[in-house]
Amino acid sequence: MTISELSELKRVVDLYDAPDPSPPEKLVADFRRVLTNLGSAASSLTDALPRLQLYNLGNRLWKAVDKRANSAALALGPSARAAEAEVRQVAPELLLLAGFPVKAASFFLRAGQGWLDLGRVDLATACFDKATPLVSALATEDERRILLGLNLARARAASDAGDQSLAVALLGRSKSLASLASAPRKYTRSLAEGYLYVGEATLFAKPSDPAVVASMLLTEALDLFQKLPRPPKKKKLASPSPSSSEQKGRCLRYLALEHHKAKEHADVLFFIHASRDLIGEADEHPSMGFMALHAWLGTGNLAEAERELERLMANANASESLCVGAAEVYLASAGPEAARKVLVALVARCCAGVAAAAVRVVTKVVDCGIGSPGRARAIGELVSDERVVALFDGPANTSHRGAMHTLLWNCGFEHFNAKNYDICADLFETSMLYLSREEGSRVRRAQCLRVLAVCYLALQRLDRAHEFVNEADKVEHNAHCAFMKIKIHLQKNDEDEAIKQIKTMMGCIDFNPVFLMLTTHEAIACKAVRVAVASLTFLLGLYSAGKPMPEREVTVLRTLIELLRREQGTEDEILKYSRRAKLRMSNLGVEGFFGNGPVGARELNWFAGNSWNMGRRVAKEQKYDLSAEFFELAAEFFGGASNDEGDGNHPTLCKALIMSVTSMLKAEELNNSPLLDSDVKKGVEMLSRAGKLLPSIWPSGSVASDQAEANIFLFLHTFYSYQLLDRMDTSAHPQQLQLVKNFASSKACTPSHLLVLGKAASEGTPPNLLVAEFSLKASIKTALASHSPNYRVISAALRNLACLAGLQDLSGSKSDAVYGVYRQAYQIVVGLREGEYPCEEGQWLAVSAWNKSYLARRLNQASVGIKWMKMGLDLSRHVESMKKYIADMEQCLEYFQKMIHSEAGEHALLGKNPDEGSRQEGAPSTSMSGSMSQPVLV
């Protein structure tokens, strides 16, 4: 070793040991460099003088480190303290180079302990590993002392590193060293403290070796503390030192804690009693009372647990948080009934955090369960106590006041969901005690008042609910309050006030159309249809292009119409909103208004079906003007749903068009007001559209009911087409005839249909005689051709045909056409069973034929008269009700014939034709004014 190396080392030590030393961080590098140089020259260090210099420099450096450690200079950060530790470790390195191993081992031990204090277990272990080979247990007392310290320090380092097995092994090695020491009290105490340290670490950290148990280490520590010899008598100490008692109490506390974790309550109580016997209750750690409380609760002894809680509350060393935690644990077992007493005790015990403690206690009570009404009311009474409420006064307790309000609010909401409205109302009202009157709590207060209104509304205490919602409205006027008032008015069946409140609600600044939908639901639930209709009407007024709404317009219209259908006399309103739906469909398109896909199709079909049903309903009530419009709307909706010729809506569309025209003409007849030309034109267009769709209404299968319905609509189309053509000039008569002929050739044609058409043609203004004759004759022909002829239809057709022939002789004669009808009727009557031909019609035929003979006689048409008399007589013979007149009729005919024969003789002498007078207008009737006159049948 050179003189320059020693000089450099001395210079660095001087810098460190100077009155105004340099920062250790700057000197660490110098020490490392010098140590490196000295280590390389250690083999040449043989002279006594350099070794003595190194020893002196090492001692001086160590003393300087101790001096700095005891001064305020080390009140620095972690990096500065680590640098000091590195400087400290230089001293044993110098002593080791100087050849003083035992002294170096002692310094290495203390340097390693310094590293342990800084949490550097790796560096501490390195120091201990360097020191251990330098001493021997078989050498001097100093070496054994140092080796014992090294084992204990290594045990601590191993424990800190998590290697509890090595720590236990090192403690075992230390036992023999402690027994060999000349001062057993000191060394036994160090060993006991080592066991306590490792036992404590094992208790709070799960060891990797399951064989290492904290209770074994703690018991060993306790035994070692118990074995400590008493001090010499010259010191006159009759009892163990207080530090020894504290360490024993600490062992007992940790043993109690381990059994507490294992829930071995009897063992916990045993160690607590042992601790109290040792150091007394006054000086025990507060955690002992907490564990005792737990243990007594575990054994089910609530009385002892309560006493432990009282002791803990009276312990000045117990923190407020520990007292609150103990109260929570006690209440978890004792239940909310003990909450008032515990809370009062906490109020007296706690100072700074009393509000927070109260919140924690009430939270624990709530966690115990508030499902029963009794417990919920107990909580309400507890927190509504004036003393408890007063704990939360002042701005410092704002957060705790909010926490208590939230806690009570959540409790109330739990009962609200369970529909325990009386209980939740009390809790909500109590929660308002913890709301300040400041502006920041205004919204929350208004919300509480509204919820209270809901609770009392559910309890049907409507006046109380009205009071709360009025208070809420004063605090915060908004749409929620207005909606609540609507609900209350609905419950009171005050529909007028509810509608007024809807208008008020719509004027609120936070109004949203959703409230109108909610109002509608509430009104429907209360069966207040008028309010629901008003709400939906207001909602419809808010729809505009691009404005987001809570519900689609088509849904609102459908719901509104459905509600109106439940009321009487609302057909006009239903028609108005149906028209609106049709207009919106025209403006927005079918998919734009009703929607896409199956949903849109269902909506459209609903409106079409509703219009159809409404048309039928008002038609039954003979409100034909409304019926015509409903059927027209139905046609528009069904037409909007049709996409191609094979569409399933075509049959209904066709029927709706026909029914609309039908109602239009029936309204004209009922109101006795002729249709306008525009209406006639519209009717013709609708029937023209229907005519194109008529093939679609025929059923695909042979279903009798569907076939009959199809026949009816085809007839109605023909009949009303004829009626509308009749409104035109006489040039339409050929079209009418062709229309009827087309119908007569169809499968839908029946004799009854032809009879109706014939009567309509004969009664027209002017009558269409061609159509009438064709229809009536076709009716008779068709009826006779059936397997079971309907003689009522035939008889009615014959009567109308006879009357028609009387208006105009189609063959050019005044009587031949009429006589032909009667002749046809006679041929039909002959051979029928009695009563098969309508009696009254047969009687009419016979009587009218007989009476025609009277007219012929008056006109001096003898042969015509006889012909009609014979026709009347022949018909009478086949009519049951006329048989009583047959004898008189035969006698009259015979007499009349004799008169004719006698007059014929006279005319022959004079050279005249007997019927010549019939062709001379106004000729006198001398021969037929005899004594016996022809009877006129009525």
Side-chain angles (χ1 to χ4, degrees):
M1 179 179 295
T2 62
I3 297 176
S4 59
E5 291 171 345
L6 288 174
S7 300
E8 178 65 18
L9 177 62
K10 183 177 182 299
R11 182 187 68 81
V12 177
V13 173
D14 290 340
L15 288 175
Y16 185 80
D17 195 22
D20 188 12
S22 300
E25 294 91 339
K26 295 181 178 180
L27 299 177
V28 167
D30 294 337
F31 277 119
R32 288 176 181 170
R33 177 174 48 79
V34 172
L35 281 178
T36 303
N37 294 334
L38 291 176
S40 62
S43 59
S44 62
L45 190 63
T46 57
D47 296 334
L49 181 60
R51 293 174 59 191
L52 182 60
Q53 290 177 335
L54 285 177
Y55 176 81
N56 292 331
L57 287 173
N59 279 327
R60 181 183 173 193
L61 180 61
W62 186 265
K63 292 178 180 178
V65 170
D66 284 342
K67 179 181 178 182
R68 287 167 63 89
N70 294 326
S71 66
L74 286 183
L76 303 173
S79 60
R81 290 197 297 272
E84 292 286 347
E86 287 193 54
V87 174
R88 181 190 297 270
Q89 191 171 337
V90 172
E93 296 285 355
L94 294 176
L95 294 178
L96 184 60
L97 289 174
F100 297 92
V102 177
K103 189 71 171 179
S106 175
F107 282 4
F108 271 124
L109 171 61
R110 295 175 62 183
Q113 290 172 339
W115 283 118
L116 281 180
D117 294 337
L118 292 175
R120 295 299 302 271
V121 179
D122 53 342
L123 297 178
T125 303
C127 288
F128 300 148
D129 290 343
K130 286 183 178 181
T132 302
L134 302 178
V135 292
S136 173
L138 301 177
T140 63
E141 178 71 18
D142 288 339
E143 292 189 45
R144 284 196 295 272
R145 176 182 59 78
I146 295 171
L147 185 59
L148 175 62
L150 284 170
N151 286 338
L152 294 177
R154 289 178 66 194
R156 176 185 171 188
S159 178
D160 290 346
D163 191 353
Q164 306 299 332
S165 300
L166 177 59
V168 173
L170 290 169
L171 290 174
R173 297 179 195 174
S174 303
K175 278 188 176 182
S176 59
L177 293 173
S179 62
L180 295 175
S182 59
R185 173 179 174 79
K186 179 179 179 181
Y187 298 140
T188 302
R189 180 182 180 85
S190 298
L191 181 62
E193 290 175 349
Y195 272 103
L196 177 58
Y197 183 89
V198 177
E200 181 181 355
T202 305
L203 179 63
F204 292 106
K206 185 177 181 181
S208 57
D209 186 359
V212 179
V213 182
S215 60
M216 296 174 60
L217 297 170
L218 294 170
T219 303
E220 183 70 25
L222 183 61
D223 291 341
L224 290 171
F225 281 122
Q226 294 286 357
K227 293 177 181 179
L228 287 177
R230 293 181 179 274
K233 291 184 178 181
K234 60 181 180 179
K235 294 187 178 181
K236 299 181 180 180
L237 293 175
S239 61
S241 63
S243 61
S244 177
S245 299
E246 290 176 1
Q247 295 289 46
K248 292 177 184 178
R250 190 176 175 189
C251 291
L252 292 171
R253 175 157 53 91
Y254 286 140
L255 285 169
L257 178 59
E258 182 182 33
H259 290 286
H260 170 71
K261 288 183 176 181
K263 296 184 179 180
E264 297 170 349
H265 305 300
D267 293 333
V268 173
L269 293 174
F270 170 78
F271 286 111
I272 290 174
H273 289 157
S275 174
R276 287 174 176 173
D277 292 340
L278 178 65
I279 61 176
E281 293 184 11
D283 297 327
E284 74 175 1
H285 196 275
S287 63
M288 300 293 279
F290 187 82
M291 287 188 288
L293 171 66
H294 262 288
W296 285 120
L297 290 175
T299 60
N301 195 331
L302 289 177
E304 287 295 333
E306 184 178 354
R307 279 192 283 272
E308 289 292 344
L309 180 61
E310 291 175 355
R311 291 191 190 100
L312 189 61
M313 292 285 188
N315 190 344
N317 295 324
S319 64
E320 293 184 359
S321 61
L322 185 65
C323 293
V324 175
E328 291 174 350
V329 172
Y330 175 74
L331 288 175
S333 298
E337 293 77 10
R340 182 183 295 275
K341 181 168 59 176
V342 172
L343 191 55
V344 171
L346 279 176
V347 170
R349 173 66 173 78
C350 300
C351 297
V354 62
V359 173
R360 290 182 60 181
V361 169
V362 175
T363 302
K364 179 55 66 175
V365 174
V366 171
D367 292 341
C368 293
I370 59 166
S372 65
R375 286 198 168 189
R377 289 193 175 93
I379 293 173
E381 293 174 0
L382 172 66
V383 297
S384 60
D385 189 291
E386 293 180 357
R387 293 171 294 178
V388 177
V389 176
L391 298 177
F392 294 84
D393 291 340
N397 293 318
T398 301
S399 60
H400 302 306
R401 188 163 53 243
M404 181 65 81
H405 169 78
T406 302
L407 180 63
L408 295 173
W409 174 273
N410 292 337
C411 294
F413 199 77
E414 180 179 340
H415 282 278
F416 184 85
N417 289 334
K419 298 183 179 180
N420 299 327
Y421 297 113
D422 52 344
I423 298 173
C424 68
D426 292 339
L427 290 171
F428 286 139
E429 197 163 357
T430 303
S431 73
M432 294 184 66
L433 296 174
Y434 296 90
L435 284 176
S436 65
R437 296 283 179 177
E438 299 173 357
E439 182 66 19
S441 301
R442 182 174 58 85
V443 175
R444 192 66 172 167
R445 180 172 294 278
Q447 184 183 14
C448 289
L449 291 169
R450 288 195 298 269
V451 173
L452 282 168
V454 173
C455 295
Y456 286 111
L457 182 61
L459 293 170
Q460 291 297 305
R461 296 172 61 181
L462 303 181
D463 293 336
R464 185 72 168 151
H466 208 174
E467 290 177 9
F468 275 111
V469 77
N470 284 337
E471 287 298 320
D473 201 21
K474 293 176 183 177
V475 176
E476 184 186 27
H477 176 68
N478 55 23
H480 293 85
C481 294
F483 177 68
M484 284 299 305
K485 291 180 182 179
I486 292 171
K487 293 182 67 172
I488 294 171
H489 290 311
L490 287 173
Q491 292 289 335
K492 291 182 176 181
N493 296 321
D494 193 345
E495 296 187 359
D496 293 333
E497 286 297 324
I499 294 174
K500 290 180 183 178
Q501 200 60 45
I502 292 176
K503 298 177 182 178
T504 303
M505 179 177 68
M506 294 179 66
C508 294
I509 192 172
D510 64 332
F511 169 74
N512 189 297
V514 174
F515 285 108
L516 290 176
M517 289 301 301
L518 295 175
T519 300
T520 301
H521 294 319
E522 291 291 337
I524 293 173
C526 295
K527 299 181 179 179
V529 176
R530 192 159 65 92
V531 178
V533 168
S535 178
L536 291 175
T537 303
F538 290 139
L539 182 60
L540 280 177
L542 301 177
Y543 280 87
S544 60
K547 183 178 181 180
M549 296 296 286
E551 193 60 78
R552 298 176 63 237
E553 185 177 6
V554 64
T555 305
V556 176
L557 279 169
R558 172 169 49 80
T559 307
L560 180 56
I561 292 173
E562 187 65 39
L563 290 173
L564 289 170
R565 286 178 57 184
R566 301 180 186 180
E567 300 294 307
Q568 296 294 329
T570 58
E571 293 85 359
D572 291 331
E573 291 293 309
I574 294 174
L575 179 61
K576 180 178 73 172
Y577 292 113
S578 299
R579 285 173 180 164
R580 171 167 176 156
K582 183 255 180 184
L583 179 62
R584 298 294 288 168
M585 180 185 73
S586 301
N587 295 338
L588 303 176
V590 175
E591 292 187 352
F593 179 64
F594 291 106
N596 302 322
V599 175
R602 284 195 297 269
E603 291 285 2
L604 178 54
N605 288 332
W606 186 91
F607 276 89
N610 179 73
S611 299
W612 172 270
N613 294 334
M614 286 300 302
R616 295 182 61 183
R617 190 175 91 176
V618 296
K620 291 179 181 179
E621 300 172 0
Q622 296 187 349
K623 299 176 180 178
Y624 295 115
D625 49 351
L626 293 175
S627 175
E629 293 200 55
F630 275 119
F631 281 123
E632 184 179 358
L633 286 172
E636 293 292 338
F637 289 128
F638 283 124
S642 300
N643 297 321
D644 49 50
E645 295 181 357
D647 195 285
N649 287 322
H650 281 167
T652 318
L653 171 58
C654 178
K655 295 173 186 178
L657 291 168
I658 295 172
M659 291 302 298
S660 179
V661 177
T662 301
S663 299
M664 188 189 304
L665 293 172
K666 284 185 176 293
E668 177 192 40
E669 179 183 352
L670 181 65
N671 300 330
N672 195 22
S673 58
L675 290 177
L676 299 175
D677 293 341
S678 59
D679 293 334
V680 174
K681 182 179 179 181
K682 182 172 71 173
V684 171
E685 292 175 354
M686 294 172 71
L687 289 177
S688 177
R689 287 178 60 195
K692 298 176 183 178
L693 299 171
L694 277 174
S696 65
I697 70 173
W698 294 97
S700 58
S702 57
V703 181
S705 59
D706 291 350
Q707 184 69 49
E709 184 180 8
N711 292 346
I712 290 173
F713 278 99
L714 183 58
F715 165 70
L716 290 176
H717 178 266
T718 303
F719 180 77
Y720 290 115
S721 295
Y722 179 90
Q723 293 282 348
L724 292 178
L725 287 172
D726 203 32
R727 307 301 174 93
M728 303 178 181
D729 52 21
T730 55
S731 62
H733 284 188
Q735 298 179 37
Q736 292 176 314
L737 179 60
Q738 187 61 43
L739 181 69
V740 174
K741 286 183 178 180
N742 292 339
F743 175 71
S745 64
S746 68
K747 295 181 181 180
C749 180
T750 65
S752 299
H753 293 156
L754 291 169
L755 174 61
V756 173
L757 289 170
K759 290 178 67 176
S762 63
E763 295 171 358
T765 307
N768 191 334
L769 300 180
L770 291 175
V771 174
E773 181 187 11
F774 173 80
S775 300
L776 293 172
K777 287 183 177 180
S779 175
I780 297 171
K781 181 180 178 181
T782 307
L784 291 174
S786 65
H787 295 293
S788 54
N790 188 341
Y791 288 102
R792 285 201 171 275
V793 173
I794 294 172
S795 63
L798 286 170
R799 178 191 283 219
N800 282 276
L801 189 60
C803 295
L804 182 66
L807 294 176
Q808 180 179 357
D809 187 3
L810 300 178
S811 64
S813 170
K814 291 185 178 181
S815 59
D816 290 347
V818 180
Y819 186 78
V821 175
Y822 280 87
R823 185 67 182 171
Q824 183 182 9
Y826 175 73
Q827 292 173 352
I828 293 172
V829 170
V830 172
L832 293 178
R833 295 188 301 272
E834 183 178 344
E836 192 170 0
Y837 193 90
C839 180
E840 65 276 6
E841 291 296 332
Q843 183 176 343
W844 181 87
L845 286 171
V847 170
S848 60
W850 181 265
N851 288 341
K852 287 182 182 297
S853 67
Y854 176 75
L855 178 62
R857 186 185 68 80
R858 293 294 302 267
L859 296 175
N860 292 323
Q861 298 175 351
S863 59
V864 176
I866 291 173
K867 180 174 66 172
W868 281 112
M869 291 178 72
K870 288 182 178 180
M871 178 56 70
L873 182 59
D874 290 342
L875 287 170
S876 298
R877 290 191 177 103
H878 297 280
V879 179
E880 182 66 26
S881 60
M882 292 299 294
K883 290 182 179 180
K884 60 183 177 182
Y885 300 110
I886 292 177
D888 293 338
M889 294 172 70
E890 289 176 344
Q891 183 180 359
C892 182
L893 176 60
E894 182 181 357
Y895 174 78
F896 188 68
Q897 286 177 336
K898 289 179 180 180
M899 291 287 296
I900 293 300
H901 289 155
S902 62
E903 289 182 2
E906 292 179 2
H907 285 295
L909 292 175
L910 296 174
K912 295 181 179 180
N913 190 339
D915 288 336
E916 186 178 356
S918 65
R919 292 188 295 271
Q920 298 177 1
E921 246 183 74
S925 176
T926 58
S927 60
M928 299 187 69
S929 59
S931 61
M932 185 176 181
S933 62
Q934 175 192 359
V936 178
L937 300 177
V938 294

